[in-house]
Amino acid sequence: MTKMSDVAALAGVSTATVSRVLRNPETVTETTKQKVLEAIEELNYQPNMLARHFRRSQTNTILVVVPNIINTVFAEIVGGIEEEASKNGYRVLLRNSNNQIDREYGSIEHMKQRQVDGMIMLSPRLDEEILQDISEKYPIVLATAHLDETKIPVVSIDNVSSSKKATEHLIRLGHRRIAHITGQLDSMISRYRFKGYREAMKENGIDYDTQLIREGEFTFESGYEQMMNLLDQKFPPTALFAASDEMAMGAINAAKSRGVNVPEDLAVVGFDNIRFSSVFDPPLTTIAQPKFGMGEKAMELLMKKFNGEPVEQTEHILPDELIIRDSCGARLKEKLIRT
Amino acid sequence: MTKMSDVAALAGVSTATVSRVLRNPETVTETTKQKVLEAIEELNYQPNMLARHFRRSQTNTILVVVPNIINTVFAEIVGGIEEEASKNGYRVLLRNSNNQIDREYGSIEHMKQRQVDGMIMLSPRLDEEILQDISEKYPIVLATAHLDETKIPVVSIDNVSSSKKATEHLIRLGHRRIAHITGQLDSMISRYRFKGYREAMKENGIDYDTQLIREGEFTFESGYEQMMNLLDQKFPPTALFAASDEMAMGAINAAKSRGVNVPEDLAVVGFDNIRFSSVFDPPLTTIAQPKFGMGEKAMELLMKKFNGEPVEQTEHILPDELIIRDSCGARLKEKLIRT
DNA sequence: ACACTGTTTGTAATCGATTACATTGAAATG
DNA sequence: CATTTCAATGTAATCGATTACAAACAGTGT
């Protein structure tokens, strides 16, 4: 491995000058710069990054903590982060937390040891206070999260209003017995989506039946199971708002297995607009989160923190969108009206 | 930040001893070890990893280069890699190549600069010779790849025999006009899957119609489009083997849109067994790759390289499995026979 | 008591880039 | 021409852990 002193020797300058050519070219005359550049070329020199990182105690690496990379929602967000990071010369270290709090802790230790310059946590489980403490000393950004009163930058969509929008869409289609399958209720996101549902119902003067609320786990299987429960009830729902597309798909399959037609007998709206929602039969009506964009935005905010720029607002709400496909019956209705 | 010399001072020993307690505890007497450990505890000392990495020129980090993390197949493999890596105290740096060769090059530069201890490439695009060169100097493992004659460890399934198995399944169900939608044919994997198809046809005495071979891009959209083409032909196929589940789904949707029933009018077999295949309507018959396991295996092999253990075989073929669901019509047939 | 062996600990060099501070030299000014 | 100023470059310390080598020490056998 050629090192800086080799370059310096060949170019007939000191290592300080070589270093300057590399990092502050404007402080060096054109002629010496050329000499050094030629020597670098000649020797095929590559700076030892480990030495640089050590000396500057900076790694140009960020840590992304994901509950589970296998989940397509997180994978897309990570895609956005990686894209934006590599634009800025940063590298992305990936860590699956598997929703375990101690793994999240471990990741924070990692940052405390300065092994990374900052971190982005997706759907953190850690207490708000703990996160707050860390954020005072280290650059951290959260995504798909919501904290009540805090200075930590958060990138998210408005889960309450979007869920409200989804539920209202079903109400507008004439439904009153609207079921809701939530995600794990120990997660903020699930509670916010549930809240949006309640608000929509209330504002439209509908007393919702608590029997129609079921807690799932954001998976197909849980959606399937909970829908089976709902269909077993004396007065089954005529519509469903599921807190994730996966659960919506599971629920629809449960309905199909019972001969219940979607959307004719059961209108369904999901959440996330995952890649497969448009291909599913029937294509899902759902709330689209700008997943890739959220990743990019999170990384942007982290870059601001790195550069010492102020991050004006702490909460960055990106726009969501209700995507109407077939599972809610709106298109079917339109067609019927037209004919 | 407390450093090693602080600990040494408090414990009344030299830094060398502190370092030994941390890395070679067996060379230190029990009593001094205790003193040092107490001092570490007292000061809440954490070794500076950047200094350690620099000094040892080792990073405990590996690089994983993925064509696209958004693709669920790769996401699952990365999940397996991450799992196994963190068991071994290694960290995973993620890089999306977006199938661009120059990005793959860049990642190799990264390793040459010793910023990572080794790398795993998924579905590399780079030339075999280049990879071979690199492998002689740096620890590298490939996954979902196949190289003809090389010393680079590769983790994969047998794409030829599995595709043959998939095609034979369709033949056994009585089909002769079996179409095949390939992936991009500049990718080895696509060519191997195509080869498996040809072998199955040939061995069963069927001259396949080149009109029934269409090149897709591993996406829904391409599957949809190519199926439309197939359906437009004078003698459309009665069965389809698609080189990926995504394309199979696209194709099935194309068929549905034309009123062609799957599996009654068109039997379909896919490839990959992605998470959504079982939920699709109809559930896909497909070849299951042990995705998570492939990731784990790849990391295991890399660990062997790190430890200087010999990697006996270069090609590690993991078992695949034909998962029979509804899209191929086998179940339907059984049912008909029984009744 | 002495030499010898082996274990434990300490001293100080080392990894390679960065940078505070010192030096050189050339241009500018009176 | 002497002096000041400033830009360009060099010298050497520095970051913190690791480790080759040296030293100290305890135990063993004669």
Side-chain angles (χ1 to χ4, degrees), chain B residues 57-161:
Chain B
S57 54
Q58 219 220 60
T59 60
N60 270 255
T61 305
I62 66 148
L63 180 62
V64 176
V65 182
V66 188
N68 189 354
I69 189 63
I70 294 176
N71 183 315
T72 55
V73 176
F74 297 125
E76 284 198 43
I77 296 175
V78 169
I81 293 173
E82 209 276 335
E83 170 85 10
E84 184 69 17
S86 66
K87 264 190 212 158
N88 289 283
Y90 272 77
R91 313 177 301 169
V92 174
L93 214 46
L94 185 74
R95 188 87 171 89
N96 261 355
S97 75
N98 287 117
N99 267 317
Q100 288 166 255
I101 290 201
D102 55 333
R103 288 219 188 183
E104 292 192 3
Y105 264 119
S107 300
I108 284 166
E109 284 305 306
H110 210 263
M111 181 167 58
K112 283 188 180 169
Q113 291 167 23
R114 310 237 171 249
Q115 297 205 57
V116 293
D117 297 344
M119 80 193 270
I120 297 175
M121 292 190 95
L122 308 189
S123 301
R125 282 286 220 251
L126 241 31
D127 280 353
E128 194 158 337
E129 297 162 45
I130 295 174
L131 290 170
Q132 182 69 52
D133 275 2
I134 292 148
S135 170
E136 273 159 26
K137 294 195 210 152
Y138 305 92
I140 177 170
V141 171
L142 308 181
T144 66
H146 173 92
L147 300 177
D148 277 324
E149 26 183 320
T150 167
K151 298 275 164 46
I152 312 175
V154 177
V155 176
S156 182
I157 55 166
D158 185 334
N159 281 289
V160 178
S161 78

Side-chain angles (χ1 to χ4, degrees), chain B residues 12-14 16-17 20 28-29 32 54-55:
Chain B
V13 297
S14 71
T17 303
R20 279 189 276 257
V28 175
T29 51
T32 41
F54 167 51
R55 177 59 225 240

Side-chain angles (χ1 to χ4, degrees), chain A residues 29-30 40 50 53 62 75 81 89 105 122 160 165 170 172 179 193 209 216 219 236 239 241 259 263 288 303 319:
Chain A
T29 51
E30 190 58 28
I40 287 176
L50 297 180
H53 290 159
I62 67 149
I81 293 173
Y105 264 120
L122 308 190
V160 178
K165 185 166 29 174
L170 289 169
R172 220 173 304 117
R193 293 186 186 167
D209 180 351
T219 59
F241 167 47
M303 284 306 304

Side-chain angles (χ1 to χ4, degrees), chain B residues 14 65-66 97 107 128 146 149 161-162 165 170 175-176 196 209 213 215 219 224-225 243 247-248 293 319 330 336:
Chain B
S14 71
V65 182
V66 188
S97 75
S107 300
E128 194 158 337
H146 173 92
E149 26 183 320
S161 78
S162 53
K165 185 165 33 173
L170 289 168
H175 295 282
R176 315 228 96 211
D209 180 350
I213 309 300
E215 181 176 357
T219 59
Y224 187 94
E225 204 175 309
M247 293 195 294
L336 289 177

Side-chain angles (χ1 to χ4, degrees), chain B residues 277-297:
Chain B
S277 306
S278 62
V279 188
F280 195 73
D281 184 14
L284 286 187
T285 291
T286 187
I287 297 285
Q289 302 200 55
K291 299 182 281 291
F292 198 87
M294 286 167 76
E296 288 180 311
K297 183 77 189 178

